[in-house]
Amino acid sequence: MSKLVTTHASARPLRPDDLRERLRRYALYLAGCVVFASGATLFIHSELGVDPLDVLSLGVLEHLPLTIGVVQALVAAVCIAIWSVWNRRRPVVMPFVTFLLCGSLIDLMLLADLGWISSVPSLAAAVLLCAYGSALIIMSGTGIRAMDLIVITLNQRWNVPFWGAKVGVEAVLLTLGWLLGGPVGVGTLAFLVFVDGLIQPFMSFNSRVLHLTNHGLSRPGGVGGPVLEGAR
């Protein structure tokens, strides 16, 4: 059975090759966050429905004077706490950073004038950007999204298929968000069907065509063994 692999900072100084590799991974991670946040912003702009996490975030904003970034950080904290207790491990840091960073980027991007993009093209671009951004974040091996920690644990402990666990976790977020008044529409369905389905093909494309190393998954096409960079 695959297990989560935690990396620890070495006491010895980093060699130049190690430093360059780490910088490439961080660059891949940051690029993934920016691309994913761009897609999430376009989902919101399309007004055709948003991804399940944003359904919950926007639902909470109907009742509390917060921001998307803060709400997503709180969701991340809950997911990390569940993962930590379930696996009897110390909480990890980077998944929380990912939620906070992506949510804050969405807050900033929503300030831009996107009126020149109509709803349908906005939704189509949102699907591609969210899927590709997710692929980059996973391949970086840094800051896997907090929800996916729960998904992987379900897969490992209860042998729930990865796609089934992911849909199940997102269905919980979607239901809570809908009950709070979050926007649900065709865009939400598009996220569940297409974004989750495109992540693996995009990772294969990055590996085979762009020759990017997949640091996030220990075996090609698998879901086990994500490296939690920055875990404590």
Side-chain angles (χ1 to χ4, degrees):
M1 182 177 291
S2 301
K3 293 183 179 180
L4 291 171
V5 179
T6 303
T7 58
H8 297 277
S10 175
R12 63 178 177 79
L14 286 175
R15 295 178 298 177
D17 288 347
D18 293 336
L19 179 59
R20 282 193 292 269
E21 180 63 24
R22 180 166 294 188
L23 290 176
R24 280 194 290 266
R25 289 174 60 181
Y26 286 150
L28 201 64
Y29 167 72
L30 292 175
C33 288
V34 172
V35 173
F36 183 88
S38 299
T41 301
L42 289 176
F43 262 113
I44 296 172
H45 170 71
S46 73
E47 297 184 344
L48 295 174
V50 296
D51 69 274
L53 177 59
D54 285 332
V55 171
L56 177 58
S57 299
L58 294 172
V60 171
L61 296 185
E62 292 289 327
H63 305 275
L64 298 174
L66 302 174
T67 67
I68 292 176
V70 171
V71 175
Q72 293 196 359
L74 292 173
V75 173
V78 171
C79 290
I80 291 170
I82 293 173
W83 174 85
S84 179
V85 172
W86 197 352
N87 291 277
R88 297 181 180 179
R89 297 185 56 183
R90 293 181 180 179
V92 289
V93 176
M94 285 305 296
F96 178 82
V97 174
T98 300
F99 268 58
L100 182 60
L101 176 58
C102 288
S104 298
L105 287 171
I106 294 169
D107 287 328
L108 290 175
M109 292 177 183
L110 286 174
L111 298 176
D113 181 10
L114 300 175
W116 57 277
I117 309 178
S118 57
S119 295
V120 174
S122 179
L123 177 60
V127 167
L128 295 175
L129 289 171
C130 281
Y132 194 71
S134 295
L136 291 177
I137 292 172
I138 293 172
M139 293 185 72
S140 74
T142 301
I144 184 171
R145 299 181 76 205
M147 288 187 303
D148 289 338
L149 294 178
I150 307 298
V151 172
I152 290 169
T153 300
L154 286 168
N155 171 263
Q156 292 178 340
R157 290 186 174 272
W158 294 351
N159 293 320
V160 179
F162 184 79
W163 66 267
K166 192 166 181 63
V167 170
V169 170
E170 291 180 339
V172 172
L173 299 179
L174 174 60
T175 301
L176 291 174
W178 177 72
L179 291 173
L180 291 171
V184 177
V186 66
T188 308
L189 179 62
F191 186 94
L192 291 173
V193 174
F194 295 110
V195 173
D196 290 346
L198 286 171
I199 292 175
Q200 189 65 46
F202 275 144
M203 286 195 289
S204 296
F205 171 82
N206 286 338
S207 297
R208 297 175 182 177
V209 179
L210 301 183
H211 305 293
L212 297 176
T213 302
N214 193 339
H215 298 281
L217 297 179
S218 61
R219 60 182 186 272
V223 298
V227 179
L228 295 182
E229 183 76 36
R232 297 290 183 267

